Amino acid sequence: MTSKELMLKAFCGETTDQIPVSPHWWGLYKFQVAGIISGYEGEAGAWSLSGEELAKVDELFYETFKPDMFHLTTGASRLARDENYCREYNRLLKE
């Protein structure tokens, strides 16, 4: 099962053969892995990196830990699943 299939099945509440992994990407730990900071002292500097620099930090984190999904948004929707959601899920699963 691919990471995409794993995540889509988990989002729809289906049983999967393993637990998908998707860390919150806004944490400081990705900057620590990249060697940019070692604690909270450099937090402001870490978040002031350019988009290209942040992409490199995310890429290094991905290559190091191989999570099933990036969560780069401001948060998950709290809307209940509806017919449109499941139709889109089925469409994505077929891709």
Side-chain angles (χ1 to χ4, degrees):
M1 181 176 299
T2 67
S3 290
K4 179 180 177 179
E5 292 167 334
L6 182 67
M7 294 302 299
L8 289 172
K9 285 184 177 292
F11 286 149
C12 264
E14 297 178 25
T15 301
T16 60
D17 57 348
Q18 66 186 45
I19 297 170
V21 176
S22 177
H24 255 282
W25 290 87
W26 51 262
L28 293 178
Y29 47 83
K30 65 183 179 180
F31 299 113
Q32 293 167 338
V33 168
I36 294 172
I37 62 172
S38 61
Y40 289 100
E41 306 80 44
E43 181 176 4
W47 290 117
S48 66
L49 295 175
S50 70
E52 186 175 334
E53 292 167 320
L54 287 171
K56 289 178 182 175
V57 168
D58 287 340
E59 180 181 19
L60 175 63
F61 193 86
Y62 175 81
E63 291 300 325
T64 302
F65 297 104
K66 301 288 189 202
D68 293 303
M69 184 183 88
F70 273 3
H71 180 209
L72 298 173
T73 66
T74 57
S77 170
R78 303 245 187 261
L79 299 175
R81 275 188 256 151
D82 62 9
E83 184 178 327
N84 292 328
Y85 174 93
C86 287
R87 186 174 28 253
E88 181 66 5
Y89 161 79
N90 289 326
R91 185 189 70 76
L92 289 172
L93 193 57
K94 290 176 186 175
E95 288 182 0

